[in-house]
C-alpha cells in the first residue's frame, strides 16, 4: 500500500511539473485577455460513462475549475462560462432542480476562505436574468459576488439564466431608461450605448478573444452573440466538456498565437 501511494504521489508530481512547464512555454507568447467556454456535453458524457445525468453536470463543474486554474496560470484576465441558459428551464423539472442545487452548492464553496478565486484574486460576476433563479441560488450568488468584489487580478463570469437575446434586450431597455431620465426625447441609441450597458461590460470584462464550444456541436446557442465580433476566434472541439482539459486547450492557444503573429501590424507614419 505504501509503495502504491508513493508511486501515485510521484506520478502526480511529474504530471504537475510537466503541466507547469507547458503553461510557462505557452505564457511566453501572446495570451488572450478573455476566453469563454460553452459547458456543453455534460449529459452525453454521463450517458457515455453510464453515470446519472446529475453526475455529468457535477463533473462539468470540476472541469470548469480545472480550466479556470489553467487560464489563471496563463494570465488570462477574464474567463466566461455558459453554465445555464434560459432555454434550459424547459428541461425536466428534476434535472433543473438538481442543476440549481449544484449551482447553489458551488457558489457556497466559492465563499469559503482559501478558494481558487481568493487565491488568484478573481472577481466573480453572475451574468444573466437573476430574477428567474431560485431565491436560494440568488442569495448564494450575491454573497459570492460581494466576497470577491475587492479582487482585481482577473474576472470570472458565470452566465446563469442567460441568453444573448435577453442581454441585448435588457441593454437596449437600459439605454432607453437612461435617455428618458436625462430628458432626451429624440436621442439616438448607438452601438456604443448598447455595448456599455451589456452585462459583461458592466462587470468589467474586456473584449472577447476566444469562444470555445466542446462536444462536437457547432453553433453558438444564443451565447455572447454581440461580443463575438470580427476579432473573436470561435473554436469547436469534439471533447465532451467534463473531459475537456489542458491538451484540448493547448492547440487552441497555439492557433490564437499563430494568428496574432501572422496578423500584419500597422506602421505609424
Amino acid at each position: 500500500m505504501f509503495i502504491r501511494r508513493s508511486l501515485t504521489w510521484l506520478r502526480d508530481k511529474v504530471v504537475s511539473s510537466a503541466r507547469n512547464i507547458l503553461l510557462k512555454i505557452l505564457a511566453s507568447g501572446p495570451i488572450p485577455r478573455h476566453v469563454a467556454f460553452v459547458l456543453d456535453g455534460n449529459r452525453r458524457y454521463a450517458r457515455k460513462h453510464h453515470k446519472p445525468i446529475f453526475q455529468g453536470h457535477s463533473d462539468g463543474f470540476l472541469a470548469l475549475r480545472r480550466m479556470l486554474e489553467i487560464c489563471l496560470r496563463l494570465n488570462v484576465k477574464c474567463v466566461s462560462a455558459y453554465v445555464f441558459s434560459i432555454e434550459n428551464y424547459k428541461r425536466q423539472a428534476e434535472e433543473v432542480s438538481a442543476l440549481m442545487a449544484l449551482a447553489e452548492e458551488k457558489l457556497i464553496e466559492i465563499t469559503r476562505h482559501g478558494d481558487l478565486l481568493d487565491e488568484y484574486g478573481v472577481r466573480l460576476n453572475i451574468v444573466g436574468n437573476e430574477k428567474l433563479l431560485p431565491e436560494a441560488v440568488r442569495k448564494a450568488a450575491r454573497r459570492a459576488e460581494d466576497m470577491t468584489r475587492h479582487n482585481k487580478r482577473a474576472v470570472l463570469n458565470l452566465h446563469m439564466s442567460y441568453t444573448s437575446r435577453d442581454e441585448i434586450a435588457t441593454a437596449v431597455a437600459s439605454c432607453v431608461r437612461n435617455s428618458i431620465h436625462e430628458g432626451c426625447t429624440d436621442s439616438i441609441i448607438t452601438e456604443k450605448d448598447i455595448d456599455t450597458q451589456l452585462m459583461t461590460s458592466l462587470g468589467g470584462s474586456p473584449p472577447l478573444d476566444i469562444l470555445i464550444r466542446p462536444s462536437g456541436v457547432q453553433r453558438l446557442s444564443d451565447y455572447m452573440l454581440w461580443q463575438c465580433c470580427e476579432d473573436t476566434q470561435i473554436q469547436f472541439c469534439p471533447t465532451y466538456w467534463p473531459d475537456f482539459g489542458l491538451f484540448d486547450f493547448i492547440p487552441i492557444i497555439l492557433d490564437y498565437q499563430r494568428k496574432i503573429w501572422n496578423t500584419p501590424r500597422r506602421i505609424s507614419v
Side-chain angles (χ1 to χ4, degrees):
M1 182 64 72
F2 173 76
I3 295 176
R4 182 181 298 176
R5 288 180 178 176
S6 298
L7 289 174
T8 300
W9 176 86
L10 181 60
R11 181 199 63 191
D12 293 343
K13 194 73 174 177
V14 170
V15 169
S16 178
S17 298
R19 183 195 67 170
N20 292 338
I21 291 172
L22 280 172
L23 291 176
K24 286 182 180 179
I25 294 172
L26 283 176
S28 64
I31 294 297
R33 294 165 297 170
H34 187 175
V35 177
F37 298 97
V38 179
L39 312 191
D40 191 33
N42 294 342
R43 294 192 294 175
R44 281 168 286 161
Y45 159 89
R47 286 192 288 266
K48 176 183 176 181
H49 294 280
H50 308 289
K51 295 182 177 182
I53 297 299
F54 172 78
Q55 188 60 50
H57 292 304
S58 182
D59 289 353
F61 268 98
L62 292 177
L64 175 58
R65 185 181 182 89
R66 178 171 66 244
M67 291 311 304
L68 174 61
E69 184 169 12
I70 288 172
C71 287
L72 293 174
R73 283 181 173 271
L74 286 173
N75 292 319
V76 175
K77 299 303 180 184
C78 182
V79 175
S80 293
Y82 201 5
V83 176
F84 192 84
S85 167
I86 291 176
E87 297 298 318
N88 290 153
Y89 286 112
K90 298 176 182 178
R91 293 180 178 178
Q92 293 183 356
E94 182 180 356
E95 182 180 354
V96 173
S97 296
L99 273 168
M100 291 296 108
L102 182 61
E104 180 186 359
E105 174 190 331
K106 298 305 178 183
L107 287 168
I108 291 173
E109 284 183 12
I110 288 173
T111 61
R112 294 173 183 167
H113 180 71
D115 185 82
L116 186 65
L117 302 191
D118 186 47
E119 178 183 352
Y120 284 93
V122 182
R123 172 183 174 178
L124 174 69
N125 296 321
I126 303 299
V127 181
N129 191 336
E130 295 187 27
K131 294 179 180 178
L132 299 177
L133 294 170
E135 176 57 33
V137 178
R138 292 203 301 271
K139 183 177 179 181
R142 285 193 295 268
R143 179 172 173 79
E145 286 182 316
D146 290 342
M147 291 192 68
T148 62
R149 192 60 63 213
H150 65 283
N151 292 338
K152 304 297 183 183
R153 178 180 169 186
V155 174
L156 170 62
N157 296 317
L158 293 183
H159 288 76
M160 300 172 58
S161 194
Y162 171 92
T163 62
S164 188
R165 288 172 295 171
D166 181 73
E167 180 184 30
I168 294 170
T170 301
V172 172
S174 296
C175 290
V176 172
R177 283 195 301 271
N178 292 341
S179 180
I180 293 174
H181 179 73
E182 294 170 1
C184 302
T185 57
D186 58 349
S187 62
I188 298 175
I189 296 176
T190 66
E191 288 186 19
K192 183 178 180 180
D193 294 328
I194 296 173
D195 188 73
T196 58
Q197 292 301 312
L198 292 173
M199 298 172 188
T200 45
S201 300
L202 292 170
S205 303
L208 181 60
D209 294 310
I210 304 177
L211 185 141
I212 301 169
R213 176 156 193 164
S215 85
V217 176
Q218 298 188 11
R219 60 175 183 268
L220 297 181
S221 295
D222 209 352
Y223 184 50
M224 299 185 80
L225 302 182
W226 181 283
Q227 293 86 347
C228 287
C229 61
E230 60 180 341
D231 295 325
T232 302
Q233 296 183 16
I234 301 175
Q235 299 276 357
F236 298 106
C237 172
T239 306
Y240 293 143
W241 173 249
D243 285 328
F244 193 92
L246 177 60
F247 290 102
D248 298 289
F249 195 45
I250 286 176
I252 293 173
I253 294 298
L254 290 176
D255 187 53
Y256 172 83
Q257 293 178 337
R258 178 183 61 81
K259 290 175 180 176
I260 293 296
W261 282 322
N262 290 339
T263 300
R265 297 182 179 180
R266 295 181 180 180
I267 300 176
S268 300
V269 179

